[in-house]
Amino acid sequence: MKHGPIALINCEKPKETTVIFLILDDKNLPAMKVAIDELHSRKAYIVVITDCQEKLNREKVDHFIAVPKLKVLSSLLCLIPLQLLTNEISVALGINPDKPRNLAKTVTV
């Protein structure tokens, strides 16, 4: 979030920019809290996908998506809301999420 990405947040238009965090209860939690503080001060709309909602400041996060705390598997569970979100965004923008078809075969061959 340092330098370039954080400069994209427009402080003059509150909640115009949405930032999605994947925050798990691991060694990176303190750094992620600092990033939330920085973005909150710049008035970004903050969405957090997490397994440790109780350890985060509810006043600085606009929306939580909770996943079960299952140690290593929690990181995999965080991907499901992201996949659903990207699918919904692509459909809303009129982009076919299934195009190009058979992409996996094209990449691996």
Side-chain angles (χ1 to χ4, degrees):
M1 287 304 306
K2 296 293 181 191
H3 311 297
I6 207 161
L8 296 173
I9 310 298
N10 186 351
C11 296
E12 295 173 5
K13 295 185 179 179
K15 307 298 181 184
E16 182 181 74
T17 306
T18 301
V19 180
I20 301 172
F21 282 94
L22 299 178
I23 301 179
L24 299 174
D25 194 4
D26 61 10
K27 65 180 181 178
N28 298 315
L29 181 60
M32 299 301 280
K33 287 181 177 182
V34 170
I36 286 178
D37 291 342
E38 291 175 0
L39 290 170
H40 177 73
S41 68
R42 287 169 175 79
K43 300 180 177 91
Y45 187 84
I46 300 172
V47 177
V48 176
I49 301 171
T50 185
D51 67 347
C52 58
Q53 186 174 347
E54 70 282 352
K55 294 184 178 181
L56 300 172
N57 188 340
R58 293 178 181 269
E59 294 175 6
K60 295 184 179 181
V61 177
D62 295 295
H63 189 76
F64 280 102
I65 299 173
V67 296
K69 190 176 287 199
L70 296 173
K71 298 180 183 175
V72 178
L73 294 178
S74 293
S75 58
L76 291 174
L77 291 175
C78 286
L79 296 176
I80 296 169
L82 283 178
Q83 289 179 332
L84 292 171
L85 180 63
T86 55
N87 182 62
E88 292 296 323
I89 290 172
S90 65
V91 169
L93 294 174
I95 301 168
N96 183 355
D98 194 31
K99 193 170 185 173
R101 295 189 65 76
N102 302 319
L103 180 62
K105 292 178 183 178
T106 305
V107 172
T108 57
V109 175

